[in-house]
Amino acid sequence: MAKSNCVAYLLWASLGVFGAHHFYLGRDRQAFLWLVTFGGLLYGWLSDVTRIPSYVDDANNDPDYIGDLARKFKRHKRPPISLTRCSAQLLLGISWGYTAMAAVPEEDQFGVRWLVYLVTPAATAVAVHTVGNVGRCQGSLRWPLIAAYLTLPLYAWSLQVVHYTALASVVAFEYGAKEWRRTPAKPRPVCRRAGVLLLCLLLFYSVWASYFFFNAAVVDRHGEKTKFRDAVGNFFKSQLWKRMKDEIVRLFRLTQEQGWSKGWYSFIESIDPSGEYAALEVLGLPKVASQEEITARYRELTKAQHPDRFTDSAEKANAEKRFMEINLAYDKLSKMRNKRKRSNRQSREAEQ
């Protein structure tokens, strides 16, 4: 089935950062790269706006395009070096290398983190190979993989040398592996292509899952580290989660009983986007407090918390902080209530 420029541009504009137009045109490898890099950090997605017509011609085996391609094959025995492609290979190689390194458990295996030396060069070479095989260029994984592992002695000096591994892989691919893809890939069923793409995504994100499970940590104000997986478990035992859980259950039941509209407005109130309820809480007032109650409570609190009433320096500092909070809360509530009163008055005048 012939591909359409119109459809390709529509997919580019709507879901292009996720590689939808590349998947439509049979460029599955590039679709995967766009998925995991958010459209090549948007730069690749923006660049596609001028390249889509040639991508469509390639997908349709357009005679003029194939003729130009044949002349290019004759003129260059190997694909010319592209600064854009090499830069993408280098950046993605560094990124995937450090990601793979971070995913390896920090605990030693038999006294050495040998998994780091095993997976880091491999991940770097796979990244270089993936970018290198986009479009009409292709090349085996062997050369970038060999070059990546040849940099292993550098890891005895420091683990922060992935950029050298990536550079070696790029050079090996460009001068040892890269060649023209003279015949397009055979068409495959869409379901099979989507399945392969999904599998690749699962493998990619499993690396991130490994990092969060084994190595990611949360640091508190005392500098103590807690494993991210333990922090998540502790969160679900915390009072914050219990309050959130109760609020979710309340909103769900309210939605069931009174409909989505009521549930939605109740949800908006619960997150307090205007800060009104937080200000009322500072004054110790209920949500339905009137302006008269707010003013009376404000005068009571400012009199009780005035800094001049305290002589001890610590108590005076706490009183100043509390006094400022009370004033800010009162100012916020007064402005909101006055604005609401003006709006109601204007509405009544408009109705009359």
Side-chain angles (χ1 to χ4, degrees):
M1 183 176 177
K3 305 301 180 182
S4 163
N5 276 303
C6 183
V7 174
Y9 272 113
L10 183 62
L11 291 171
W12 172 85
S14 56
L15 297 170
V17 291
F18 304 113
H21 57 300
H22 288 303
F23 185 78
Y24 166 70
L25 296 171
R27 304 171 67 88
D28 296 353
R29 198 181 301 264
Q30 199 162 354
F32 169 74
L33 290 172
W34 261 222
L35 271 168
V36 299
T37 62
F38 198 66
L41 300 179
L42 293 181
Y43 172 79
W45 172 72
L46 289 172
S47 300
D48 283 343
V49 71
T50 60
R51 297 173 179 169
I52 284 178
S54 63
Y55 292 162
V56 172
D57 289 342
D58 192 8
N60 291 332
N61 290 316
D62 180 78
D64 293 335
Y65 178 84
I66 297 299
D68 291 339
L69 202 59
R71 286 188 287 274
K72 189 182 293 186
F73 291 163
K74 289 181 179 180
R75 191 163 56 250
H76 304 285
K77 291 184 178 181
R78 295 164 55 88
I81 293 177
S82 166
L83 181 60
T84 300
R85 187 185 292 265
C86 289
S87 299
Q89 287 176 300
L90 185 62
L91 291 174
L92 199 69
I94 295 171
S95 173
W96 285 19
Y98 278 119
T99 301
M101 183 184 294
V104 174
E106 291 179 346
E107 295 77 13
D108 294 344
Q109 297 87 31
F110 308 107
V112 180
R113 289 185 69 196
W114 60 271
L115 275 176
V116 167
Y117 305 110
L118 179 65
V119 304
T120 304
T124 304
V126 167
V128 171
H129 175 265
T130 302
V131 177
N133 278 263
V134 167
R136 284 288 180 167
C137 291
Q138 65 178 4
S140 71
L141 180 60
R142 180 180 59 182
W143 289 110
L145 198 61
I146 291 173
Y149 278 107
L150 285 176
T151 64
L152 275 179
L154 296 175
Y155 288 75
W157 168 52
S158 171
L159 289 178
Q160 309 304 313
V161 293
V162 177
H163 48 288
Y164 292 119
T165 303
L167 181 60
S169 292
V170 172
V171 172
F173 183 88
E174 288 295 320
Y175 292 99
K178 190 170 72 170
E179 59 185 12
W180 288 112
R181 191 189 305 276
R182 296 181 180 275
T183 56
K186 294 180 180 179
R188 293 176 296 166
V190 173
C191 292
R192 182 181 174 186
R193 290 170 52 210
V196 171
L197 188 60
L198 179 61
L199 179 61
C200 291
L201 283 173
L202 289 175
L203 289 172
F204 176 81
Y205 286 112
S206 67
V207 177
W208 281 102
S210 176
Y211 163 69
F212 281 107
F213 184 80
F214 289 111
N215 297 333
V218 178
V219 183
D220 63 15
R221 60 189 178 92
H222 301 295
E224 296 181 2
K225 289 185 177 182
T226 304
K227 289 288 187 182
F228 181 78
R229 62 176 185 267
D230 297 329
V232 171
N234 293 333
F235 169 74
F236 286 112
K237 297 175 185 176
S238 67
Q239 291 298 318
L240 174 61
W241 167 248
K242 290 177 181 178
R243 291 195 297 270
M244 288 175 59
K245 183 180 177 182
D246 292 340
E247 182 66 12
I248 291 170
V249 171
R250 184 190 70 81
L251 290 170
F252 178 73
R253 289 176 177 171
L254 182 65
T255 301
Q256 279 188 318
E257 295 170 2
Q258 302 186 31
W260 284 100
S261 178
K262 187 69 176 179
W264 172 253
Y265 285 118
S266 181
F267 167 72
I268 294 298
E269 286 186 0
S270 68
I271 62 176
D272 191 21
S274 64
E276 179 179 7
Y277 299 146
L280 286 168
E281 189 174 343
V282 169
L283 299 180
L285 291 170
K287 294 180 180 180
V288 293
S290 64
Q291 183 61 44
E292 290 74 17
E293 291 174 319
I294 292 172
T295 303
R297 182 61 174 166
Y298 165 72
R299 289 172 179 169
E300 178 186 342
L301 289 174
T302 51
K303 183 178 179 181
Q305 297 293 328
H306 200 285
D308 292 344
R309 295 185 69 253
F310 300 90
T311 55
D312 182 77
S313 58
E315 291 181 349
K316 192 177 185 70
N318 289 333
E320 287 176 352
K321 182 179 178 181
R322 175 71 174 149
F323 189 78
M324 186 177 296
E325 289 177 351
I326 292 167
N327 275 282
L328 289 173
Y330 178 73
D331 288 343
K332 177 183 283 290
L333 290 169
S334 297
K335 288 178 181 178
M336 291 180 67
R337 298 299 172 93
N338 289 332
K339 183 178 179 180
R340 202 170 293 164
K341 188 181 295 183
R342 287 195 302 271
S343 178
N344 291 336
R345 184 172 64 249
Q346 290 172 358
S347 298
R348 287 195 299 269
E349 290 174 355
E351 289 175 359
Q352 292 175 356

